[in-house]
Amino acid sequence: MSSVISPRSRRSEAGHDRRSLLAGAAAGLVVAALPARAATDISPERAQLIARITEGALPERGRITLDVPALVENGNSVDTRIVVESPMTDADHVRWIHLIAEKNPFPDMARFHLGPRAGRAEVATTLRLSQSQTVTAVAALSGGGFVMADADIVVTLSACIDGG
């Protein structure tokens, strides 16, 4: 009895066929492109907020770590840690760290003022997030520059529903 499937349409049993190889290569290219797109993709509203707090200066990426969970169950309590690489000396230190959540009713969440006497440029706090969004940390350096980092957060139970 002959098979209804043509012998040319059957999957090869010896190794990968051309389709699976092409599909794997395409998936690899998509995954490789995702972090680069996310790093450069800033909404106009967030860009405007950043420009306002940096007085128009363009912050650099790097030297700052924003540690937040990617998925939180409750937006009322999101543990956050920000660390800026700085020697914290009189000549080179972090002046302040500002947190932005663009989809919160009040996007400017906090500003922490630091100085050389702080010893470390590190802040740990708990945030309220109204919905899934990108949180941004911007730090002002004593030399006049700014550094920033951001992180996407998925919130399953929103906070700030009452507008506050």
Side-chain angles (χ1 to χ4, degrees):
M1 178 173 203
S2 68
S3 172
V4 292
I5 299 173
S6 165
R8 294 182 69 193
S9 298
R10 285 189 185 153
R11 290 186 162 224
S12 76
E13 295 176 9
H16 302 286
D17 62 348
R18 187 174 61 187
R19 281 188 184 170
S20 65
L21 197 60
L22 286 174
L29 289 173
V30 168
V31 169
L34 281 178
R37 188 186 73 74
T40 59
D41 199 17
I42 295 179
S43 68
E45 295 83 16
R46 191 159 47 111
Q48 186 177 13
L49 289 168
I50 293 169
R52 183 176 47 79
I53 64 169
T54 62
E55 298 175 350
L58 186 63
E60 297 177 11
R61 291 194 178 270
R63 292 185 58 194
I64 184 169
T65 303
L66 176 60
D67 186 19
V68 293
L71 174 66
V72 294
E73 186 173 325
N74 188 350
N76 284 305
S77 177
V78 180
D79 292 331
T80 305
R81 185 170 161 255
I82 305 116
V83 178
V84 182
E85 295 174 20
S86 172
M88 295 303 281
T89 61
D90 286 337
D92 185 8
H93 61 272
V94 175
R95 294 185 307 141
W96 48 257
I97 298 171
H98 195 100
L99 284 171
I100 299 170
E102 65 180 327
K103 293 183 180 176
N104 271 12
F106 302 101
D108 293 315
M109 292 191 296
R111 179 176 282 200
F112 304 96
H113 293 271
L114 304 172
R117 292 177 26 182
R120 294 184 299 177
E122 180 176 341
V123 173
T125 187
T126 302
L127 305 176
R128 288 182 74 195
L129 297 175
S130 65
Q131 57 184 298
S132 299
Q133 57 186 300
T134 301
V135 174
T136 304
V138 179
L141 307 176
S142 61
F146 297 92
V147 293
M148 69 175 272
D150 50 20
D152 294 325
I153 301 173
V154 176
V155 177
T156 56
L157 178 62
S158 299
C160 309
I161 295 172
D162 56 355

